[in-house]
Amino acid sequence: MNQEQVKDFTRRISQSNRGGLVVVVYDIIFAYLTDAKECHSKGDYEGFRTALLQAGRGVEELTRSLNFQYAVSKNLYALYVYAKESLAKAVIRKSIEDAGEAEAVLAELYTAFQEAAKQDHSKPLMQNTQQVYAGFTYGRNHLNETFQEPDASRGFFA
């Protein structure tokens, strides 16, 4: 994952509510799976392994965030375990096909969580963050983002 993606994910996390945060975690997983595919095609198996382990950490985070008071969590847990096992097999076998199985399962869930996130109109989880406004100015090849602070007091309050 390159620095630009890290900055983008950091900004998205700081602006996300609960539903949006799940979608961001999925996007991070898919970014690492893309990195794994690129490394595999180049024959860089150490990079392939590292990217798959990072994707597995994302799946672990999704698993830890399940609320088992809801029945659907048991089904999601089983799917996450399957995805995690597929990623582990991919690392051991150095196989892109096993990683593809995990990606297919996660892609189906991703579309469902995207729809659910559109219906979540709650406030962002992080407070005292910078507001990001995109689209005021345009660069030659990209969209500029402007950070504006309503007040200068950010961070933790003691």
Side-chain angles (χ1 to χ4, degrees), residues 86-157:
S86 295
L87 292 173
K89 286 179 190 176
V91 169
I92 292 168
R93 296 178 184 169
K94 297 180 181 175
S95 164
I96 199 69
E97 290 82 19
D98 290 318
E101 289 179 20
E103 186 174 20
V105 168
L106 294 172
E108 290 291 324
L109 295 173
Y110 177 70
T111 56
F113 277 109
Q114 276 185 316
E115 291 302 316
K118 288 178 186 175
Q119 298 173 9
D120 186 1
H121 301 292
S122 61
K123 290 183 177 183
L125 292 173
M126 295 178 74
Q127 304 299 320
N128 281 342
T129 59
Q130 292 177 322
Q131 288 293 86
V132 178
Y133 299 97
F136 285 134
T137 59
Y138 296 90
R140 180 172 224 169
N141 297 319
H142 63 282
L143 177 70
N144 291 332
E145 294 179 344
T146 304
F147 297 96
Q148 293 184 345
E149 296 185 45
D151 58 4
S153 63
R154 287 187 41 220
F156 295 105
F157 294 112

Side-chain angles (χ1 to χ4, degrees), residues 35-106:
D35 289 349
K37 289 177 193 174
E38 290 173 5
C39 289
H40 189 271
S41 68
K42 294 176 185 175
D44 177 13
Y45 291 111
E46 185 58 35
F48 176 72
R49 179 185 169 280
T50 302
L52 289 180
L53 291 176
Q54 293 289 14
R57 288 180 61 203
V59 175
E60 287 174 13
E61 183 60 37
L62 291 172
T63 304
R64 281 193 301 267
S65 67
L66 290 174
N67 183 351
F68 287 99
Q69 293 178 345
Y70 301 102
V72 71
S73 293
K74 294 174 186 170
N75 296 333
L76 288 171
Y77 180 79
L79 292 170
Y80 291 153
V81 167
Y82 175 77
K84 183 81 166 117
E85 288 174 356
S86 295
L87 292 173
K89 286 179 190 176
V91 169
I92 292 168
R93 296 178 184 169
K94 297 180 181 175
S95 164
I96 199 69
E97 290 82 19
D98 290 318
E101 289 179 20
E103 186 174 20
V105 168
L106 294 172

Side-chain angles (χ1 to χ4, degrees), residues 14-43:
S14 71
Q15 304 295 316
S16 292
N17 57 14
R18 289 183 192 274
L21 192 57
V22 173
V23 172
V24 173
V25 172
Y26 272 98
D27 287 336
I28 291 170
I29 292 168
F30 293 135
Y32 279 120
L33 289 174
T34 301
D35 289 349
K37 289 177 193 174
E38 290 173 5
C39 289
H40 189 271
S41 68
K42 294 176 185 175

